[in-house]
Amino acid sequence: MNWKKWSFLLALVFAMGVFLAACGGDTSSSGEGEDTGDDTEQSNGGEGDSGDSEEAAKADDQSLTVNIKTEPPSLHPGKATDTTSNAVLSQVFEGLTRMGPDGEPQKAMASDIEISDDKKTYTFTIRDGVTWSNGDPITAQTFADSWKWVLNPDSPDTDYAYQLYPIKGAEAAKTGEGSLDDVGITVKDEKTLVVELKNPTPYFLELTAFYTFYPVNQNVAEKNEDWAADAGEDYVSNGPFLLDKWEHKNQIVLKKNPDYWDAENVHLETITMEMVDDENTAKQMYDDGELDWIGSPLDSVPLAAIPQMKQEGSLNISPKAGTYYYSFNTEKEPFTNKNIRKAFALSLNRKAIVENITKGEQKPGMALVPTAIWEENKDGYFKDNNIEKAKEYLDKGLEELGLDELPTIKLSYNTSEAHGAIAQAAQDMWKENLGVDVELNNEEWNVYLDSMTEGNYQVGRMGWIADFLDPINFLEIFETVGGNNYTNWESDEYASLLEQARQEKDEAARKELLREAEQLFMDEMPLAPVYFYTNVYAHKDYVKDVTVGKLGTIQFKWGYIAEQ
């Protein structure tokens, strides 16, 4: 079908959806899918405020109900890699630091932090009297053991171990080329943890707020390796909330942790997290008062509702440091050929996608690193919807592969109204612009993640929400095959540039190295960036001081329900 006709019909469907929603009392909302990828999408802080500047009177009932859309893949901090899991983990656990309402890391489990003059040694002092939810003490040794567990080569499913690689000896330990005893993590005494870095890492205190750096009660974990599979006495945590109930694929319930060190500033007593996969059902629940929040970063607002909610003034849109993209499996033909990859990337009409489908003020993405981190990536590395150039790349790729035409290509995505609509648009664009037949493949999130991890795909929807506000967080994903690099692409030259950037102390020179790495990456095109994310959400007026930030993390610690 002609793209312009398709766009017109899609717009008509959405307009009818808004009309029908209004007739039924349903004013739907939303833009983004989970990236539950990471995506779900992967994530963290840089905050914005849902409340007012003046504190309102608090209601007697401090209960909040939200929708997290799907079952979290893992509630083990050392194994999690996605935003759905993070939405739960960041409430029930806490690291040495926590991202504050202003988007800056603040002291959390650490009461004091000293940084050496060369910026390579961090000394953390653990707060007095902090304990696990079962009463066990939390000490410097707790953090040392937890981090070294992630770095142990024998620890399973630790795809995010590379987040600890700024620590001296960490990467060598994880790859088996070094010893855990040589990692720069030293317990000076019960309350003092000394961490030595390979190189100055300006975002290290953001990392210590990230879930891979959360502590885990090793005594419990050693007795029960499946401690994180269910709520119960073995699910021991240290955050502002406790995992009270986990009805798999249905609901999670969090309760306030009375023993949390800062409990006096935690006002919510109960947070109920529903798992409603259908956006329209969730929107109806929101309209009926069954949900207090809808949209980013927990679930999605139905696409058809966005224009109406904008008009009503009930929709919140804020920047998010994330990139929505289509990953190419570079180990499967025809995407072993970079010219074929470029043809697919350049033939997408991103402007049409963000204006006619997502409608959440997302920006067309022609680069890997989003503009929320690098503003200069607004224009990117290639022209959007460059069909003429795309056809040139296609012809060159076909010649190199010895083909007259491409076979049917399979485009995979995880369940979401937005993902489905964007995939249908891409399908039509690739047919019209390149003459390629595209088959769509939709899978539930956990199944989809397995397919991507195992390489059982050709083109797959994915996205990345920053864990910390530095471009290397996007670039290092693709440094080596494995982990969150579903493209199976890697380059020695690319890895060398990133390593040089890590060692470079001059910020301008470091940025130049990272820009060079991104240029190399975009020339190889292991993925096709589509757009840069925004947070798109709505909440009831009585929901105050819940923070949503550039890094796609939601913080309930300071939230409360105001009197109505």
Side-chain angles (χ1 to χ4, degrees):
M1 182 185 294
N2 180 278
W3 159 244
K4 292 181 180 178
K5 292 180 181 178
W6 188 93
S7 178
F8 171 76
L9 289 175
L10 183 64
L12 181 62
V13 169
F14 284 173
M16 287 299 294
V18 172
F19 172 74
L20 293 173
C23 290
D26 179 353
T27 53
S28 281
S29 110
S30 178
E32 307 297 332
E34 310 94 280
D35 238 30
T36 49
D38 306 349
D39 206 6
T40 13
E41 261 113 4
Q42 346 292 90
S43 80
N44 211 343
E47 315 297 75
D49 197 344
S50 80
D52 299 333
S53 57
E54 294 184 8
E55 187 170 298
K58 296 177 178 62
D60 291 335
D61 184 3
Q62 290 294 315
S63 300
L64 179 75
T65 303
V66 301
N67 178 35
I68 59 171
K69 193 175 175 69
T70 187
E71 176 84 357
S74 177
L75 291 186
H76 186 310
K79 296 182 179 183
T81 61
D82 67 285
T83 51
T84 301
S85 300
N86 184 24
V88 183
L89 289 170
S90 58
Q91 320 311 325
V92 299
F93 280 89
E94 184 166 87
L96 293 167
T97 55
R98 173 180 286 272
M99 299 305 292
D102 61 354
E104 296 297 324
Q106 59 179 219
K107 297 166 188 173
M109 284 287 110
S111 61
D112 187 60
I113 303 170
E114 294 182 6
I115 306 173
S116 63
D117 291 341
D118 65 1
K119 311 296 185 186
K120 292 171 65 174
T121 302
Y122 287 67
T123 301
F124 298 93
T125 302
I126 309 301
R127 287 188 184 276
D128 291 334
V130 287
T131 65
W132 290 105
S133 52
N134 68 352
D136 289 349
I138 296 175
T139 66
Q141 191 68 52
T142 305
F143 283 91
D145 291 344
S146 300
W147 297 359
K148 287 187 177 182
W149 182 88
V150 174
L151 293 174
N152 190 325
D154 297 328
S155 294
D157 304 320
T158 51
D159 289 347
Y160 250 165
Y162 68 82
Q163 296 286 28
L164 283 81
Y165 286 0
I167 300 174
K168 182 180 177 181
E171 183 174 9
K174 188 62 178 178
T175 58
E177 298 175 1
S179 169
L180 285 169
D181 294 333
D182 296 329
V183 175
I185 303 171
T186 303
V187 176
K188 187 175 179 180
D189 56 46
E190 190 175 73
K191 292 184 60 179
T192 310
L193 182 73
V194 180
V195 183
E196 298 175 79
L197 307 183
K198 288 190 297 183
N199 303 293
T201 306
Y203 49 86
F204 188 65
L205 292 181
E206 291 184 51
L207 284 176
T208 54
F210 190 67
Y211 52 79
T212 313
F213 283 77
Y214 289 166
V216 167
N217 189 314
Q218 296 299 317
N219 292 331
V220 172
E222 288 171 5
K223 292 175 183 176
N224 177 12
E225 63 180 16
D226 295 323
W227 67 273
D230 290 288
E233 63 179 18
D234 281 347
Y235 197 91
V236 178
S237 62
N238 70 322
F241 300 94
L242 304 174
L243 185 64
D244 183 63
K245 184 191 299 183
W246 187 358
E247 296 178 4
H248 292 278
K249 297 186 178 181
N250 181 43
Q251 184 187 81
I252 281 175
V253 178
L254 309 182
K255 295 287 187 181
K256 179 179 175 178
N257 180 0
D259 298 320
Y260 176 61
W261 70 270
D262 197 27
E264 65 181 284
N265 289 313
V266 178
H267 307 296
L268 292 172
E269 294 289 342
T270 303
I271 303 172
T272 301
M273 297 177 158
E274 303 288 358
M275 301 178 197
V276 179
D277 191 53
D278 182 74
E279 291 98 331
N280 292 301
T281 301
K283 179 59 170 61
Q284 189 63 56
M285 292 173 67
Y286 179 77
D287 290 339
D288 292 344
E290 298 174 50
L291 293 176
D292 302 309
W293 188 288
I294 188 169
S296 305
L298 300 169
D299 70 344
S300 303
V301 180
L303 294 171
I306 290 178
Q308 181 175 325
M309 294 186 76
K310 279 185 178 180
Q311 187 175 10
E312 295 171 345
S314 62
L315 197 67
N316 298 281
I317 299 177
S318 63
K320 182 190 281 191
T323 304
Y324 187 108
Y325 59 85
Y326 281 128
S327 176
F328 298 124
N329 188 344
T330 62
E331 290 185 345
K332 285 196 173 182
E333 290 192 354
F335 299 105
T336 53
N337 184 280
K338 78 173 184 179
N339 288 307
I340 297 296
R341 301 195 294 264
K342 287 183 175 183
F344 275 69
L346 271 63
S347 57
L348 288 174
N349 188 337
R350 293 157 180 81
K351 187 172 185 288
I353 288 172
V354 299
E355 290 183 354
N356 296 305
I357 301 178
T358 62
K359 299 184 180 180
E361 300 180 15
Q362 298 86 355
K363 304 300 180 185
M366 285 78 74
L368 174 60
V369 179
T371 51
I373 293 177
W374 269 346
E375 188 176 349
E376 55 265 52
N377 272 356
K378 178 181 178 181
D379 296 325
Y381 291 85
F382 56 88
K383 182 182 175 184
D384 183 30
N385 193 32
N386 192 344
I387 299 171
E388 182 178 347
K389 192 68 176 177
K391 288 180 176 178
E392 290 179 15
Y393 282 128
L394 177 64
D395 290 342
K396 187 174 181 180
L398 288 172
E399 182 180 353
E400 290 169 347
L401 291 171
L403 298 174
D404 294 326
E405 62 180 16
L406 291 180
T408 297
I409 299 300
K410 181 179 286 189
L411 170 59
S412 301
Y413 62 95
N414 59 296
T415 304
S416 161
E417 178 192 13
H419 299 335
I422 295 168
Q424 290 171 49
Q427 178 188 45
D428 192 67
M429 291 170 187
W430 286 333
K431 175 63 176 177
E432 181 178 346
N433 299 336
L434 300 179
V436 179
D437 290 321
V438 178
E439 173 187 343
L440 300 184
N441 177 47
N442 173 34
E443 294 177 336
E444 185 271 333
W445 176 243
N446 286 333
V447 175
Y448 182 73
L449 266 186
D450 288 341
S451 297
M452 294 291 286
T453 300
E454 293 165 8
N456 294 330
Y457 82 100
Q458 284 183 293
V459 184
R461 184 220 75 86
M462 194 47 70
W464 188 264
I465 307 299
D467 304 318
F468 49 91
L469 292 174
D470 190 278
I472 202 168
N473 184 228
F474 287 81
L475 298 166
E476 68 184 359
I477 303 167
F478 306 99
E479 189 168 1
T480 57
V481 169
N484 297 302
N485 180 6
Y486 302 109
T487 69
N488 294 312
W489 174 89
E490 62 183 358
S491 159
D492 289 342
E493 182 181 357
Y494 182 79
S496 176
L497 287 167
L498 295 186
E499 188 55 36
Q500 290 177 58
R502 293 188 182 101
Q503 296 178 30
E504 180 57 62
K505 295 180 175 60
D506 180 79
E507 189 54 38
R510 176 180 183 269
K511 181 176 181 178
E512 186 58 37
L513 288 165
L514 294 177
R515 295 291 295 176
E516 189 177 342
E518 187 180 39
Q519 176 67 68
L520 187 156
F521 183 85
M522 297 308 301
D523 184 59
E524 289 288 321
M525 205 74 78
L527 56 81
V530 180
Y531 61 78
F532 300 135
Y533 278 103
T534 54
N535 290 307
V536 181
Y537 62 95
H539 60 81
K540 301 297 185 180
D541 290 342
Y542 51 76
V543 177
K544 306 293 184 181
D545 290 355
V546 173
T547 60
V548 175
K550 285 185 178 180
L551 300 178
T553 286
I554 190 165
Q555 297 258 16
F556 294 116
K557 173 180 173 176
W558 301 282
Y560 68 97
I561 305 298
E563 285 186 350
Q564 299 182 52

